[in-house]
């Protein structure tokens, strides 16, 4: 595989990322309640992740 000769500057790197980050990450569905959920994160609706509940009770 070819190897880049020179490292990109911070400016080049960040300019390239502006295009990459324009698209939102593909949402996934909660297995429990079917609500839209971000990948690798507990469901905001029911608090379930991988069949377990991670809902924390707010104590303040
Ligand atoms: Zn859920």
């Amino acid at each position: 595989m070819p190897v880049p000769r020179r490292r990109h500057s911070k400016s080049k790197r960040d300019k390239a990322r502006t295009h990459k980050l324009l698209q939102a990450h593909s949402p996934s569905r909660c297995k429990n309640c079917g609500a839209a959920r971000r990948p690798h994160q507990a469901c905001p609706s029911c608090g379930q992740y991988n069949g377990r509940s991670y809902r924390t009770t707010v104590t303040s």
Side-chain angles (χ1 to χ4, degrees), residues 30 32-33 43 45-46:
C30 174
N32 190 47
C33 67
C43 174
S45 176
C46 66

Side-chain angles (χ1 to χ4, degrees), residues 8-27:
H8 278 185
S9 67
K10 287 172 192 170
S11 175
K12 283 276 182 188
R13 178 199 68 195
D14 293 346
K15 277 174 186 169
R17 283 182 188 174
T18 60
H19 300 289
K20 182 184 178 185
L21 298 176
L22 272 175
Q23 271 190 323
H25 293 157
S26 61

Side-chain angles (χ1 to χ4, degrees), residues 2-7:
V3 176
R5 278 197 188 186
R6 293 200 62 89
R7 176 194 151 98

Side-chain angles (χ1 to χ4, degrees), residues 30-50:
C30 174
K31 277 183 190 170
N32 190 47
C33 67
R37 179 182 66 78
R38 300 186 77 181
H40 307 285
Q41 289 185 21
C43 174
S45 176
C46 66
Q48 294 257 332
Y49 188 83
N50 209 12

